[in-house]
């Protein structure tokens, strides 16, 4: 259940160009968060909270790790906070990736783009514990923006793609989907054009997409985050019904 909590900053590290890893301490959030969920963080001086996906939790140490890019004054404020600062957070927010009916030995492809990579990492660590075979395709703007390569390689076959070809394959994540071994299901998180391309490329395979849309209220009240769906209502709210949806449920 989503709650308002105070999370203490334990560490902040720059891990790539404009990209930061922040570890936060709070027992409730670290105990209840599942892969795909996010934190909605209040930043003083900014009306809207910032939604940031969860990259890892340590239930023993009561820590939650988030990764974010400094894309505006809100996230730029976050990185200058001192260690020990308490952040006002709503979380764990949203619904996570469905994994219940995956059997041990199943093969899964995980596709992440840019700042959509962190929730894929959290999911991967949980699936690995369940004996799932993992393959990854990770897309970044360029080598300078790349992070977590070794962490992913320790969990499964990993293909890196960069827009400019400065590292790994040149192009888009969808350019290399045909090169990986067969898989039973896929999960993907990244910008909307990437999710659309992934869905179109894999029309007959069960898949789940996690959206990294900008949000308003974050709790289902403002309709700033709707995505068209093919159910009776015709739309769903990313903050409340998502951010993860079945690929065949959304219209992109
Ligand atoms: Fe307000 Fe989703 S952000 S309804």
């Amino acid at each position: 259940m989503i709650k308002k909590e105070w999370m203490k900053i334990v560490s902040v590290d720059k891990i790539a160009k404009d990209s930061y890893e922040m570890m936060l301490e709070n027992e409730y959030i670290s105990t209840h968060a599942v892969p795909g969920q996010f934190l909605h963080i209040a930043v003083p001086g900014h009306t809207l909270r910032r939604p940031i996906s969860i990259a890892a939790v340590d239930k023993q140490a009561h820590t939650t790790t988030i990764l974010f890019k400094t894309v505006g004054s809100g996230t730029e404020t976050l990185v200058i906070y001192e260690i020990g600062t308490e952040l006002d957070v709503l979380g764990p927010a949203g619904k996570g990736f469905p994994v219940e009916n995956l059997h041990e030995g199943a093969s899964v492809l995980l596709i992440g783009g840019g700042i959509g990579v962190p929730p894929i990492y959290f999911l991967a660590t949980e699936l690995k514990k369940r004996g799932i075979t993992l393959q990854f395709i990770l897309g970044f703007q360029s080598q300078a923006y790349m992070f977590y390569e070794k962490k992913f390689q320790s969990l499964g076959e990993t293909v890196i793609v960069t827009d400019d070809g400065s590292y790994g394959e040149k192009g888009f994540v969808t350019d290399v989907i045909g090169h990986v071994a067969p898989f039973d299901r896929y999960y993907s998180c990244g910008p909307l054009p990437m999710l659309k391309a992934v869905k179109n490329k894999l029309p007959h395979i069960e898949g789940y997409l996690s959206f990294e849309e900008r949000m308003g209220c974050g709790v289902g009240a403002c309709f700033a985050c709707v995505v068209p769906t093919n159910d009776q209502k015709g739309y769903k709210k990313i903050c409340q019904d998502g951010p993860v949806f079945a690929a065949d449920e959304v219209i992109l």
Side-chain angles (χ1 to χ4, degrees):
M1 188 183 74
I2 187 170
K3 280 175 68 176
K4 186 175 184 300
E5 291 283 318
W6 291 97
M7 300 188 83
K8 186 164 80 182
I9 301 176
V10 177
S11 61
V12 187
D13 294 296
K14 188 170 186 180
I15 55 165
K17 186 175 179 186
D18 301 334
S19 308
Y20 293 83
E21 180 186 73
M22 178 180 274
M23 190 181 282
L24 300 161
E25 191 181 284
N26 175 282
E27 184 174 354
Y28 179 81
I29 304 267
S30 61
T31 304
H32 293 88
V34 297
Q37 289 188 302
F38 63 94
L39 303 181
H40 216 204
I41 303 175
V43 182
H46 296 80
T47 319
L48 298 180
R49 288 172 179 266
R50 297 300 188 271
I52 301 181
S53 298
I54 297 170
V57 296
D58 184 331
K59 292 186 196 303
Q60 270 76 47
H62 299 157
T63 57
T64 300
T65 301
I66 55 172
L67 265 65
F68 57 90
K69 245 174 146 174
T70 46
V71 289
S73 60
T75 39
E76 276 162 12
T77 304
L78 271 186
V79 297
I80 56 172
Y81 280 140
E82 296 198 358
I83 306 300
T85 303
E86 301 256 355
L87 298 181
D88 167 353
V89 174
L90 290 176
K95 297 195 170 65
F97 293 104
V99 295
E100 302 73 28
N101 57 353
L102 266 179
H103 58 87
E104 191 176 337
S107 179
V108 162
L109 175 65
L110 296 103
I111 307 163
I115 213 63
V117 171
I120 291 293
Y121 181 70
F122 187 12
L123 175 63
T125 55
E126 293 300 313
L127 292 179
K128 190 74 182 176
K129 288 181 203 159
R130 300 167 60 131
I132 309 295
T133 301
L134 304 173
Q135 298 182 85
F136 305 102
I137 301 175
L138 309 175
F140 298 97
Q141 270 173 268
S142 69
Q143 185 175 11
Y145 289 95
M146 185 181 71
F147 55 84
Y148 276 23
E149 183 191 21
K150 287 204 166 48
K151 285 178 183 256
F152 278 102
Q153 283 171 338
S154 72
L155 297 171
E157 281 295 315
T158 304
V159 180
I160 305 279
V161 181
T162 51
D163 296 355
D164 63 359
S166 54
Y167 194 85
E169 306 281 332
K170 184 178 191 299
F172 301 112
V173 294
T174 41
D175 295 336
V176 297
I177 284 180
H179 306 172
V180 304
F183 51 92
D184 305 307
R185 180 189 292 191
Y186 73 89
Y187 297 94
S188 186
C189 183
L192 190 57
M194 187 196 97
L195 297 181
K196 190 172 178 176
V198 167
K199 175 179 161 145
N200 289 340
K201 191 88 177 183
L202 300 168
H204 306 302
I205 297 183
E206 182 183 3
Y208 297 90
L209 308 173
S210 181
F211 292 71
E212 44 168 56
E213 223 44 26
R214 232 186 132 72
M215 290 179 196
C217 67
V219 290
C222 75
F223 288 78
C225 65
V226 294
V227 58
T229 57
N230 46 31
D231 63 359
Q232 219 177 7
K233 209 155 76 170
Y235 69 87
K236 283 198 168 155
K237 298 171 193 167
I238 291 172
C239 66
Q240 199 174 45
D241 305 315
V244 179
F245 297 94
D248 60 6
E249 178 184 12
V250 288
I251 302 166
L252 301 180

